[in-house]
Every structure is written in structure tokens, then in C-alpha cells.
Amino acid sequence: MKSNVNLNRRRFLSQTGFGLLAFAGLPAALQAMQTADSMQTLPAGKASANFLADVEIELYAQASKLSILPGPATWVMRYSAKLIKGPSNTLTEIPGSYLGPVMRFQTGQKIRISLINLLDEATIVHWHGLHVPAEMDGSPHYAIAKGERFVYEFEMLNRASMNIYHPHPHHQTARQFYMGMAGAMIVNDAEEGRLELPSGEYEIPLVIQDKQFDSDNQLHYGPHMHERMTGYFGEQILVNGRPNQTLNLASRAYRFRLMNGSTARIYKLAWDDNTPITVIGTDGGLLETPVQKPYVMLAPAERLDLWVDFSGRKKGSQLILRSRPFSGALPAMAERMSNMMGGRGQHGMGMGGMHHGMSNDVKTEDTRMGGDYPILTVSINREVSDSPTLPSHLSQFKRYGLNDVANPKQPLPLAISEGPMSMLLNGRGFADHDVQDFERIALNSIQLLEIYRSQSGGHGGMGMGGMGMMSMAHPIHLHGQYFQILSRTAENPAAGYDTVKEGFVDNGFKDTVLVMPGERIKIIKPFQDFKGLFMYHCHNLEHEDMGMMREFSVE
Ligand code: C2O
Ligand code: CU
Ligand code: CU
């Protein structure tokens, strides 16, 4: 695998040609190589001959129109894909959805995916959660212009898990994601296979999103200043791209694979009859053993693997998955204003009138983030007598401890600073190849990182450990290998912390962690196999596009 890295980089450099502005951010050494490589004769977009792909996919990014709500069709930006080579279950369309097809891979497969940009603007696709070479990660440096093609080649090194593919061009990630570009990527492996978990029609990927439609059923991404700080929220909840999602299921066990595909909205998921939630996996795959929760928090880009057993439920009965009330995730001031404005607060400020498009749909639900509203309905349409049983042991993995890390006494900082229009990480906004010394990481090391709120940083009292008026929740994401959460400490919890604190699932592999105001979180993350730049950023995508994004240089 390691020997492919150079090859991949060379091929990447030649396939995109030279003179492209997208290259302005590459380091001088790479730019020099680019010029040298442009002497080679590989035509643009050519795959490398000595990468023998088991699976080959063409992935298109394009605008298209489809019906989402009753009435006029909606323009979206979306992924579609064509299987060129590989098992026939590699791609599964979600009927009627703008979401990209569910991709399914096996650990160990060699995968070639050609992204073909049919949009009128630059884009790049990132494999959120995958452990791939930096050049194959789809970070903003590699954005391709309209009409271009980018060939990704990598071996699937991930364990069984559900990951995300989504756009990552700088300053445009949130908008492209919001306009519909996203999909789920499921990885299967032998350890998971032995469990014989519910599969086929009994394994259901569920992507939860919130959108705002105008009176013509169109989406507009244009957050106002205040919404760039809090995040951009829509009052229409979509599951797999459809409103009012109802699943007609049998009275047996299912596997629900949840993904938060919203740009900023955090959900607190619970069943309406208070049936506990049984979690079997997180971002990075199966837990060691199942965990029961009264509710689960699901922040942008987080995933949860749930075992849901409808055994014994009567035909015709219904169960509703809801987002339940919580507070403390938004800046105190925004939360107060939102309460004053009643059930329509978040968009009422600046998006005036946009929700009227839904006025034929009498909504009494409080769809503000932190409100109480339905996500999806399960309707039991057939009673069956046999059902698989929940395995008591799910997977085996090494649990990292301080003995495993290179820096037990000096955690790498991931300091959040929160100021007006300047949500930052480690005191700086994103800039190309602006790597600070502590952001350089030795290849093949395992590192302790600490996420906390910066006490200093010149934001005039904003950073006081969760007490500041600007303090809010941030889903912090690191590219590359999954990490483990060593500890989560509520040092200085904000009001409302009690409404969320039982909903975290911290004992599995993660790539995104929700950091509430006043929390300090220690994580342990390996940086193995691949050199290069790997991003870390807030997955509140409004924050990310504002520059709450940095890079580690693995060297
Ligand atoms: Cu979900 Cu930088 O990505
Ligand atoms: Cu990512
Ligand atoms: Cu953030």
C-alpha cells in the first residue's frame, strides 16, 4: 500500500494537467514535480495501469431536478454513479432520493472511483472516515474544475463501518452538501459477517437532514451573518431525501444505520414510547458490546448503528423516532432569541417568510434545533415469528491507552476559540499549507489530542470555558484513521448539559465528536501508513467554510 503513494501522487498530478488554479495551494516541491510530470504522456483522467482494481465506479457530480415535496420539482446538486466493474451489490440507489447511491465495499478491495465534474463549478469528493493516502482523500487542495475528472485509487483499509462521501471544495462544502451532494459508503468485513446481523431489506441506511424550501419548493443556501455563526437550519426534516418518511416493517429485528447529513443540526434521537435505543456501532464500526441509551445525540457527520427490534409488535402499530428537547448547543444569546420568537425562531431571523411554502402542511411541531419533532415513523405491516437475536459480543479491537501514545504528557491541542465571525481552531483560520510546528506529526505514531476551549485568543471574554456568550457545540472531525475517545469531562458545563449528557456513545471508533460548551475531550488517534496533509475541522459546515479548519502534516 505504501508504495502506491508516490505513484498515486504522480498520477494525480499528471491527470489534472498543469496551469490549473486549483494547484495554487500546493507546496513548491509538489508544484515543481507537477511541471516535471506534465512532460509525461498520460492523458487527463487516465487510471494507472498497475493498479488492479477489484471495483471500479464512475461518480458524477451534477445538477438535476426531482420531486421532493408536493408541487414543483426541486433543483438539487447530486451524485450519481455507474458500476464499471465489481460485485453487483456495490451500488444501491435510494429510490426517489437526491442522495448518491449507497456504496458497499469489502475490506481489502482495491477501488478505483473516477469523479466526473458535470457541475458548473469546482468540486471534489471526500471519503469521510476512510483511511486513504492524503492524495486520495479529496481534501480542498484537489478540487477539480467543471468538466474535469479525478481518478481515486485506494485499497479499502477500514474495518466494517458506514462512512460518508461528500464534497469538500473550500468555502463551498456546506452549500454543495446542503444542495444534495452526499451519500453513504458501507464497508463490510469478515468479523462483522460472522455475526449475521440483519442484512438486505433488514439493514436500512437512514440519512437525516434538515432543509429549507421556498414557496416554489426550491433550496437556497445563503446563511445570513447570524446563521453562519450558529449554523444554517431548515425546518423540513428529510430522511433519505424524503419528507414524512414512513418505513413499513415486519415485527422483527432490524439494523438501522443512521447518519446525520445536516450541515449544522444536532439531533437527540429517542423513540416516542421511550423504548431504549440499542447502539451496536459508531462512526468507525461495531462496538465491543451493545449499549443501551434512553436517547442518543447525533451531530453533523456522526453515524450510529442501531439494533431495533420490533418483535412482538402488532400489525398496524406505529412507533415514531423523534428528536427530543435539549438545550445548551447554541450560544446562550441565540437560544434566548429563538425562544422569544417561538417555534419558528432560527429561521425567523433573516429567512423571513421562507417557511410559508409549507403552510398547507399544518405543523404544530417545534422544529427548532433542540425542539421536539418527529424524524420518521415505523409502521408494522406484517407480523413474523422469527427474528435474529442481538449478539452479546460484537467485535474485538485494541483499546488505546496512555501507554500507547507518543505524547502522554503533552497532548496535541485542538483548541476551539469562539468569537463573532471567527470560529477558529488552534487560534487560526484555514490557510493553505499553514502548518504550525505542533501540527507536524511523525508518521506511524499514535497521538493524544485534547479538545477544549481556548481561554485566551483575544476574543474579549468569549472563550471562558463554556461560559462565554458565543460558546456552542462543535462536532470536531479529523480526517484519516478513526480515533478513540479517552475521556470526556464536563469541566464547566453550560445550562442544559443535563439534557444531552446521557446521549453520547464514546466507547467505539469515531471520526467526529460532539464537543459541548464546557467540555474537555481527550482522544487518541493513530497517524499510520500515509504521509501528507490531513484536515481537522468543525463539521458544522458553516463553521468549516468560515475557516474553522486546519491541517496536520504527517511526515
Ligand atoms: Cu466530512 Cu473534512 O469532512
Ligand atoms: Cu472527513
Ligand atoms: Cu463549530
Side-chain angles (χ1 to χ4, degrees):
M1 201 49 212
K2 263 173 254 173
S3 57
N4 283 336
V5 174
N6 263 331
L7 178 78
N8 285 337
R9 183 174 59 200
R10 278 218 320 279
R11 187 177 34 69
F12 159 70
L13 290 167
S14 44
Q15 81 194 19
T16 27
F18 60 108
L20 254 188
L21 283 176
F23 266 178
L26 286 179
L30 276 184
Q31 287 188 5
M33 278 187 62
Q34 175 203 347
T35 315
D37 278 342
S38 63
M39 307 301 286
Q40 292 185 351
T41 49
L42 279 177
K46 178 108 192 269
S48 59
N50 47 358
F51 181 89
L52 298 176
D54 303 304
V55 185
E56 197 167 341
I57 290 170
E58 281 188 351
L59 183 66
Y60 302 91
Q62 64 201 119
S64 81
K65 208 173 182 183
L66 85 172
S67 172
I68 300 174
L69 301 178
T74 303
W75 275 106
V76 296
M77 290 160 76
R78 61 176 300 185
Y79 292 115
S80 60
K82 192 160 97 195
L83 184 66
I84 307 294
K85 178 183 178 190
S88 59
N89 70 347
T90 302
L91 299 177
T92 308
E93 298 290 338
I94 304 175
S97 178
Y98 54 79
L99 291 171
V102 176
M103 296 184 184
R104 188 178 288 272
F105 299 116
Q106 300 287 328
T107 302
Q109 274 175 336
K110 290 191 155 190
I111 296 159
R112 176 181 293 130
I113 305 178
S114 304
L115 171 69
I116 296 154
N117 181 7
L118 303 177
L119 298 168
D120 264 333
E121 59 188 86
T123 195
I124 193 69
V125 63
H126 164 58
W127 322 111
H128 177 128
L130 294 199
H131 176 37
V132 294
E135 300 84 356
M136 297 291 126
D137 185 47
S139 75
H141 306 295
Y142 298 102
I144 54 169
K146 164 185 180 176
E148 289 196 321
R149 167 192 290 253
F150 189 105
V151 182
Y152 297 80
E153 288 173 347
F154 54 85
E155 182 180 337
M156 181 58 77
L157 300 178
N158 286 57
R159 67 199 294 263
S161 51
M162 186 169 86
N163 303 284
I164 313 174
Y165 60 101
H166 70 72
H168 218 313
H170 192 35
H171 294 310
Q172 303 300 333
T173 300
R175 185 176 55 86
Q176 291 187 0
F177 201 131
Y178 183 85
M179 294 303 289
M181 294 171 76
M185 182 189 280
I186 291 177
V187 181
N188 295 125
D189 67 12
E191 181 187 45
E192 178 202 39
R194 282 193 291 273
L195 294 174
E196 297 185 355
L197 296 170
S199 63
E201 65 172 300
Y202 305 114
E203 178 190 24
I204 308 180
L206 295 164
V207 180
I208 307 173
Q209 298 180 300
D210 62 329
K211 307 235 180 265
Q212 196 67 26
F213 293 86
D214 72 9
S215 52
D216 284 323
N217 286 349
Q218 299 309 307
L219 298 166
H220 302 278
Y221 184 79
H224 291 254
M225 191 156 68
H226 146 89
E227 290 162 326
R228 294 180 61 202
M229 288 305 291
T230 58
Y232 191 63
F233 301 103
E235 291 173 355
Q236 177 68 58
I237 302 300
L238 302 177
V239 174
N240 290 347
R242 310 300 307 167
N244 310 316
Q245 187 67 262
T246 297
L247 304 173
N248 294 306
L249 305 181
S251 61
R252 54 160 280 157
Y254 281 78
R255 186 176 183 188
F256 278 12
R257 311 205 64 173
L258 304 182
M259 175 202 299
N260 183 340
S262 310
T263 63
R265 182 178 285 256
I266 300 164
Y267 302 91
K268 174 183 175 176
L269 301 171
W271 293 109
D272 65 337
D273 69 351
N274 298 319
T275 300
I277 300 234
T278 303
V279 182
I280 59 171
T282 50
D283 306 344
L286 292 169
L287 302 173
E288 293 165 293
T289 55
V291 167
Q292 285 218 336
K293 293 277 176 186
Y295 60 84
V296 284
M297 300 304 296
L298 193 66
E302 282 189 308
R303 287 88 73 203
L304 280 170
D305 199 343
L306 305 186
W307 176 276
V308 282
D309 195 348
F310 305 111
S311 296
R313 292 193 184 258
K314 292 275 161 280
K315 180 175 173 173
S317 62
Q318 289 200 331
L319 198 60
I320 298 173
L321 186 67
R322 299 186 67 89
S323 190
R324 289 302 203 182
F326 66 94
S327 60
L330 286 172
M333 209 165 57
E335 219 154 61
R336 236 175 286 141
M337 279 176 76
S338 168
N339 283 336
M340 271 161 45
M341 317 215 26
R344 299 288 193 178
Q346 281 148 6
H347 262 285
M349 294 182 277
M351 293 288 289
M354 284 223 165
H355 55 255
H356 297 323
M358 294 305 298
S359 55
N360 45 353
D361 199 15
V362 185
K363 293 222 262 174
T364 52
E365 309 284 353
D366 179 358
T367 55
R368 287 174 298 173
M369 182 171 85
D372 193 352
Y373 53 90
I375 302 288
L376 67 87
T377 303
V378 171
S379 180
I380 302 302
N381 72 348
R382 57 199 197 278
E383 289 176 32
V384 297
S385 50
D386 59 324
S387 173
T389 52
L390 175 63
S392 57
H393 183 86
L394 297 166
S395 77
Q396 205 161 3
F397 53 81
K398 175 168 173 53
R399 189 157 286 284
Y400 295 130
L402 287 179
N403 289 334
D404 302 305
V405 305
N407 56 339
K409 297 238 161 63
Q410 287 157 301
L412 297 176
L414 256 156
I416 294 168
S417 45
E418 301 167 307
M421 297 313 284
S422 66
M423 296 290 185
L424 301 173
L425 283 175
N426 286 331
R428 298 204 201 180
F430 180 72
D432 274 335
H433 299 86
D434 170 36
V435 179
Q436 304 173 78
D437 264 348
F438 63 86
E439 291 169 319
R440 297 182 192 282
I441 293 182
L443 178 67
N444 291 327
S445 64
I446 299 176
Q447 301 282 334
L448 175 67
L449 297 99
E450 189 171 28
I451 314 175
Y452 58 96
R453 280 168 180 77
S454 152
Q455 304 291 318
S456 57
H459 290 303
M462 298 303 181
M464 294 168 58
M467 298 300 282
M469 288 301 281
M470 300 300 298
S471 199
M472 60 177 290
H474 301 275
I476 300 296
H477 167 54
L478 289 83
H479 285 210
Q481 277 165 295
Y482 300 129
F483 54 81
Q484 292 176 8
I485 297 173
L486 182 68
S487 62
R488 176 193 290 270
T489 322
E491 287 187 310
N492 196 353
Y497 190 65
D498 284 349
T499 64
V500 302
K501 68 177 185 194
E502 285 173 81
F504 305 117
V505 186
D506 287 345
N507 53 349
F509 283 103
K510 297 285 292 171
D511 57 46
T512 306
V513 59
L514 178 60
V515 186
M516 294 297 291
E519 281 187 331
R520 178 177 292 263
I521 296 180
K522 288 188 180 156
I523 66 174
I524 296 182
K525 177 176 158 70
F527 292 84
Q528 291 158 339
D529 304 324
F530 306 120
K531 290 187 180 182
L533 295 169
F534 290 91
M535 322 214 79
Y536 63 99
H537 59 86
C538 184
H539 225 285
N540 174 315
L541 294 179
E542 282 71 44
H543 291 177
E544 187 216 322
D545 280 347
M546 198 193 292
M548 195 174 184
M549 173 162 77
R550 301 282 312 161
E551 292 179 293
F552 287 119
S553 172
V554 181
E555 36 197 64

